[in-house]
Amino acid sequence: MKCKDVIGILEGLAPVSAALDWDNPGLLAGRMDKEVRTVYLCVDATDEVVRDAIAAGADMLISHHPLIFGSVRKINSETFVGRRLIDLIGHDISYYAMHTNFDVCGMAQYSAEILGLQDCTVLEVTTEIEGRPEGIGRIGGLGRVMSLEECAMLVKERFDIDNVKVFGALNSPIETVAISPGAGKSMIDAALSGDVDLLITGDIDHHTGIDAVASGITVIDAGHYGIEKIFIPFMEKYLKEKSDLNVICDKPRQPFVIL
């Protein structure tokens, strides 16, 4: 299968047109006519991931977060981005990123399903696909009232997370939940507009958390990687259903430890 054919499969799920305008998804390095038999899935195209993809004999690397965001004026060994691109191109590995287009067309609904949310609606509508609204995150019901502490334990269990950061009283009653994988600071207003009791997201700073509680919403910060690592099993299943590609999944790579 050619790289362009793999891209056709990927964009059948998450077209680049669904991405937010500041984003940079798509084929970021490599050849469209590259013959692809083995793909390597990851969240971030780090040095370690690139080395492992090369060692695994991958023909194509597919990440969630793009390695390239802004303009690139030089590609050389003096920058970490340059070194990774040189390694990928030097080993003839095509590199494709699925970021906010996947957030909109896969991550949002999948994260809500893992959590078990019911009667879901889009948290922040950003586009329309086949006549239906799509966008970042989901709002849904838990099916019963839980305490904030129970919700935190549920998030840890369903997403296999060692710890979460909680803003709000642990005995707060929670029934309606918004979930927005990744960095969700900008989703506070949408969650408030959605009249939810709790926002589950990542990368919430001190003041944002305090201000959210003062505004009437509790927050569970499950980490940026904590939820978005579901990109890998989702895409593994999707690619195996749509192709006969050999799919290799990156190992868990939490970018930090809490001691």
Side-chain angles (χ1 to χ4, degrees), residues 83-137:
R83 287 192 296 272
R84 293 173 196 173
L85 291 173
I86 288 168
D87 283 343
L88 289 169
I89 294 170
H91 288 85
D92 198 17
I93 297 175
S94 293
Y95 169 53
Y96 190 92
M98 304 174 69
H99 193 209
T100 54
N101 52 325
F102 179 78
D103 288 340
V104 168
C105 299
M107 186 86 77
Q109 185 61 31
Y110 187 43
S111 62
E113 290 171 0
I114 291 174
L115 195 59
L117 298 184
Q118 303 172 7
D119 302 320
C120 290
T121 58
V122 178
L123 172 59
E124 183 176 74
V125 175
T126 59
T127 189
E128 186 176 284
I129 298 176
E130 296 180 354
R132 70 180 187 276
E134 279 292 358
I136 302 297

Side-chain angles (χ1 to χ4, degrees), residues 225-243:
Y225 181 84
I227 298 178
E228 289 200 326
K229 65 179 184 287
I230 65 175
F231 169 78
I232 294 175
F234 183 102
M235 289 306 303
E236 178 188 27
K237 183 175 184 290
Y238 178 77
L239 285 171
K240 287 184 175 179
E241 288 175 349
K242 298 293 184 179
S243 72

